Amino acid sequence: MEVDSVDNWCTNTDNGKFANLKAFVTAAREFEATHSESALNLMTRYLGLIASSCDLTIFSPGRSEVCAFFSSLWRVMCDGRGPHWAGVAVLSRAAAEPSARHALTHTYKFIAILSRLLTDSISNEKKIKLLSVMQDISYGIKISWQESYLTSLMKQLTDWIRQPMTEPHHKAIGHKSLTVLVNVCYGNLPAIYALMRTVDTKEFVVHLISLKDGGYGGVEVCRLLLCLSGATRGTAVRQPDAHSYLCCTMRTFKKAVVDRDATQLLHAYTFLNDLCSESNLREFVLTYPHFSAALTNSLKDVDDLVSTALDDVGEPECASACLKHVLKFLTVLSGLDLYSLRSHHSQLMLLCIKTSAVCLPESLELFSVIVTQYRDEGRLPQELISIISDRLPGLLVPPLEPGKAGLQWLQVVGALCESSETQEKVLQEVTPHAFEDTLYNVLHYTAQSGAVGAESSQQAAVASCRAALCLCPAARDWEAALTRMLAHHQVRKMLCAGLMSSNGQRRRQVLQLIKHHYFPLDQMNQVFGESFAADVSGEPPGACSADRADSRAPPPALPWAEHPALELATDALVRRLSDALADGKISDIATSSVMELYGYKMTCLEQRLHSHSAALQNIEKEMKSREKEAEERLRNADAENKTLTKKLEQQTSKSSELAGVLIKFEERVKQRDKRLEEAAAHETALRSEIEARDLTIKQLEKTVLERENRLYQVTTQLDEMKRVQEMVAKLMSKSTSANCAS
């Protein structure tokens, strides 16, 4: 009964948590069925309650209530009579939750619906609010070929970007429009082509350069310029351009830290990471001379950000997001391993320690990158040791959520194990079982994350084995932990994958593990057997050469494996010798027995050394054969690449020809349109002339009619006068005849 009551209480709590979402879904269904005003009012009311919620977890995907809510919201916002702006307010709130933001971007794709609301007819406040939501849910978006909304969206955004920035709200609208445009175009060729069809590319690039030089837009302008240069065939980024981008990036980073602008910090981190990841551009990045000075100017503002963020109670999500992006940016910058930046490592160490309570994964990653840079030197500088000596125990506590920060914690422990000054602290603070549990949790968590998870799993396995190998000489329990880890199937799988990886650095890391003098070479066949079997499985049966079969043979058994009692006897004798030497009774020990066992132990060590050498030869032959196969595959890939390149050039030339034909056709169409416009104008003039003549004819007809009437009247009068005249004449003739008669 108690369990049932607790379950019921938990269920009721969840029902109350999602009550407004469920109520909105019900109102949305009624609206879709009836389109009544009451249903619309109910939806608006519930959306207002949801948007004002303090609990962001109500937007986390994975529950049926959340899925039904976003699906219903998507449908009603597609309706022209739906509660659009109440929905925008909810999307703005939901975008603050990372997993919900990812779902809005990639699953529900609200960007298409919001693009329809983006018009000149809405107020400036609504434009800014709508663009703010769009810039949050368009980051990292993937666009398929020719989305229907792209053309209108590109036109609207570019119009606002090119408008005069005379008023503050115009500048805000232009800046947010530029951010949305960069998000939509970055990595999406269809969007870039739509942009190039919407604007005159040369004029638009000139305008973007003027914005960058004027301090407006910052790193987004650089990202958009890089997109356009990448989409234009034959256009390469030069060193001055790359240095100009870096100068703008560092300037934007400093300004964004001061303004607490998480969006600008995200763009600065992304752009710097892309420049460092691109092999052609990384060389230009390494030659940039002003990193140290720019970082010096920014670190003071970063310290102010940390101080205010740790005490921030107003907008904790914004402060946390700013810190995460700052730490990621500094991690990429530190990963360049520039000697000029080593003077800042002490400040960055303090920053990691301060922010570990808020942004643990990012803090540990930056910490690991800094410590790893001193691996070849074998020890940390004294100023770093003095900084972390008192604060190290806090960083060495295993994270509560290994899935989020476990990999970074393993990397930090591994990096600290390689320094003699910090190794003792690791032995004191980290237990082997806690270390193993964190590793296995990380492997379980990353196994569900696709290719990115596989890469993280390999990093975790390599870092853990390296840490255990470093600690084996100092503690036997770590040697046992190493044995358990190497026996774990997932660790073996990741080590095999790293050895077969196309990542040269990862292969070197695995080979360095094998070269370590504490690596159990007698377990080589068990640990890497899956790798070799996977390699052979790609060949026809019976195709393996004798050399390869020999290279996969297990190493010869060590003498201690056949005579374990001798090892124990030798160890006991060594202890007796040590005790006798300490007590001054060394003369009581029989020299012959000592020398016999000592010689046997030396023979065993020589045989073990020989087996280790054979095992390494168990590996060199295999790697040589794999290298030959890889070279053959590379040659085949190069040949295929050349063929594809040739086909691509042919297609490009055909596309260019078609583009030329299309341009000529468009010119002809324009000429015909011009002729049609002239003919239409001539026709209009003729119609006007005809109407004027028709009016004149009507007036003349009226005049003729009037004159005919007048003529008829005159004729009638003349006839009457003639008749009177005839009558008068008759009367006169009668009177004349009468007079004559008389």
Side-chain angles (χ1 to χ4, degrees), residues 246-295:
L246 290 169
C247 178
C248 184
T249 302
M250 298 304 294
R251 185 173 64 244
T252 301
F253 174 74
K254 175 178 172 57
K255 186 176 184 300
V257 171
V258 175
D259 296 341
R260 311 297 192 259
D261 192 335
T263 301
Q264 290 296 300
L265 289 171
L266 174 60
H267 281 280
Y269 154 69
T270 304
F271 189 55
L272 182 63
N273 188 45
D274 291 342
L275 291 178
C276 295
S277 302
E278 181 65 37
S279 58
N280 297 329
L281 299 177
R282 185 179 176 87
E283 298 177 0
F284 299 152
V285 175
L286 294 175
T287 58
Y288 183 67
H290 304 302
F291 276 130
S292 181
L295 188 58

Side-chain angles (χ1 to χ4, degrees), residues 382-396:
Q382 187 59 41
E383 59 269 18
L384 296 186
I385 296 174
S386 61
I387 289 174
I388 66 177
S389 59
D390 297 332
R391 303 174 178 89
L392 194 57
L395 289 176
L396 293 178

Side-chain angles (χ1 to χ4, degrees), residues 152-208:
S152 59
L153 176 62
M154 292 296 170
K155 185 178 185 307
Q156 189 63 77
L157 293 176
T158 52
D159 287 346
W160 287 344
I161 292 171
R162 291 181 293 182
Q163 71 179 352
M165 306 298 172
T166 54
E167 300 293 335
H169 57 268
H170 288 161
K171 186 173 182 178
I173 292 171
H175 195 176
K176 292 182 180 296
S177 300
L178 180 62
T179 303
V180 175
L181 182 63
V182 171
N183 288 345
V184 172
C185 290
Y186 207 73
N188 295 310
L189 281 178
I192 297 176
Y193 291 149
L195 173 63
M196 296 173 71
R197 286 193 298 270
T198 304
V199 298
D200 186 315
T201 307
K202 292 183 178 179
E203 293 181 0
F204 191 62
V205 168
V206 171
H207 182 68
L208 290 178

Side-chain angles (χ1 to χ4, degrees), residues 209 226 229 235-245 280-281 284:
I209 293 175
L226 191 62
S229 65
T235 303
V237 179
R238 303 170 301 167
Q239 180 174 352
D241 297 333
H243 285 186
S244 175
Y245 293 163
N280 297 329
L281 299 177
F284 299 152

Side-chain angles (χ1 to χ4, degrees), residues 233-492:
R233 186 174 179 84
T235 303
V237 179
R238 303 170 301 167
Q239 180 174 352
D241 297 333
H243 285 186
S244 175
Y245 293 163
L246 290 169
C247 178
C248 184
T249 302
M250 298 304 294
R251 185 173 64 244
T252 301
F253 174 74
K254 175 178 172 57
K255 186 176 184 300
V257 171
V258 175
D259 296 341
R260 311 297 192 259
D261 192 335
T263 301
Q264 290 296 300
L265 289 171
L266 174 60
H267 281 280
Y269 154 69
T270 304
F271 189 55
L272 182 63
N273 188 45
D274 291 342
L275 291 178
C276 295
S277 302
E278 181 65 37
S279 58
N280 297 329
L281 299 177
R282 185 179 176 87
E283 298 177 0
F284 299 152
V285 175
L286 294 175
T287 58
Y288 183 67
H290 304 302
F291 276 130
S292 181
L295 188 58
T296 301
N297 295 332
S298 301
L299 282 179
K300 181 180 179 182
D301 299 320
V302 172
D303 290 336
D304 295 339
L305 171 64
V306 174
S307 301
T308 55
L310 294 177
D311 299 332
D312 193 359
V313 295
E315 295 183 351
E317 298 90 357
C318 179
S320 176
C322 289
L323 278 181
K324 287 181 180 178
H325 300 325
V326 166
L327 292 170
K328 289 181 179 179
F329 183 90
L330 295 175
T331 300
V332 175
L333 196 60
S334 301
L336 295 174
D337 198 8
L338 296 174
Y339 191 81
S340 59
L341 296 180
R342 289 200 170 188
S343 59
H344 301 287
H345 282 177
S346 56
Q347 291 178 273
L348 295 178
M349 280 282 195
L350 286 173
L351 179 64
C352 294
I353 295 169
K354 290 179 182 178
T355 58
S356 60
V358 181
C359 308
L360 182 60
E362 293 77 15
S363 301
L364 292 177
E365 187 172 5
L366 177 58
F367 188 94
S368 174
V369 167
I370 295 173
V371 174
T372 305
Q373 293 183 11
Y374 298 94
R375 173 183 295 170
D376 295 336
E377 300 176 14
R379 65 188 307 275
L380 294 175
Q382 187 59 41
E383 59 269 18
L384 296 186
I385 296 174
S386 61
I387 289 174
I388 66 177
S389 59
D390 297 332
R391 303 174 178 89
L392 194 57
L395 289 176
L396 293 178
V397 176
L400 296 177
E401 297 180 274
K404 295 184 178 180
L407 171 61
Q408 293 81 3
W409 184 79
L410 293 173
Q411 290 175 332
V412 167
V413 174
L416 293 173
C417 289
E418 299 181 21
S419 175
S420 57
E421 293 82 0
T422 55
Q423 189 179 103
E424 188 64 29
K425 282 284 186 182
V426 174
L427 289 171
Q428 294 175 0
E429 302 295 336
V430 181
T431 63
H433 290 289
F435 188 82
E436 290 178 71
D437 290 342
T438 303
L439 169 62
Y440 302 148
N441 286 328
V442 170
L443 294 177
H444 175 73
Y445 180 82
T446 55
Q448 308 170 5
S449 305
V452 177
E455 176 67 19
S456 300
S457 297
Q458 293 179 27
Q459 294 179 15
V462 172
S464 302
C465 291
R466 187 172 185 87
L469 285 170
C470 292
L471 297 175
C472 278
R476 282 191 174 272
D477 51 353
W478 280 98
E479 188 173 357
L482 175 63
T483 303
R484 290 192 298 270
M485 285 191 287
L486 292 177
H488 195 276
H489 71 283
Q490 195 70 9
V491 176
R492 290 183 176 183

Side-chain angles (χ1 to χ4, degrees), residues 2-14:
E2 293 179 359
V3 174
D4 293 340
S5 63
V6 171
D7 290 341
N8 292 334
W9 180 83
C10 293
T11 303
N12 293 334
T13 302
D14 286 344

Side-chain angles (χ1 to χ4, degrees), residues 126-144:
K126 287 185 176 180
K127 290 177 185 176
I128 294 174
K129 185 175 183 179
L130 187 57
L131 288 169
S132 299
V133 179
M134 293 179 70
Q135 76 178 6
D136 288 337
I137 67 173
S138 61
Y139 181 80
I141 190 172
K142 298 300 178 185
I143 296 178
S144 60

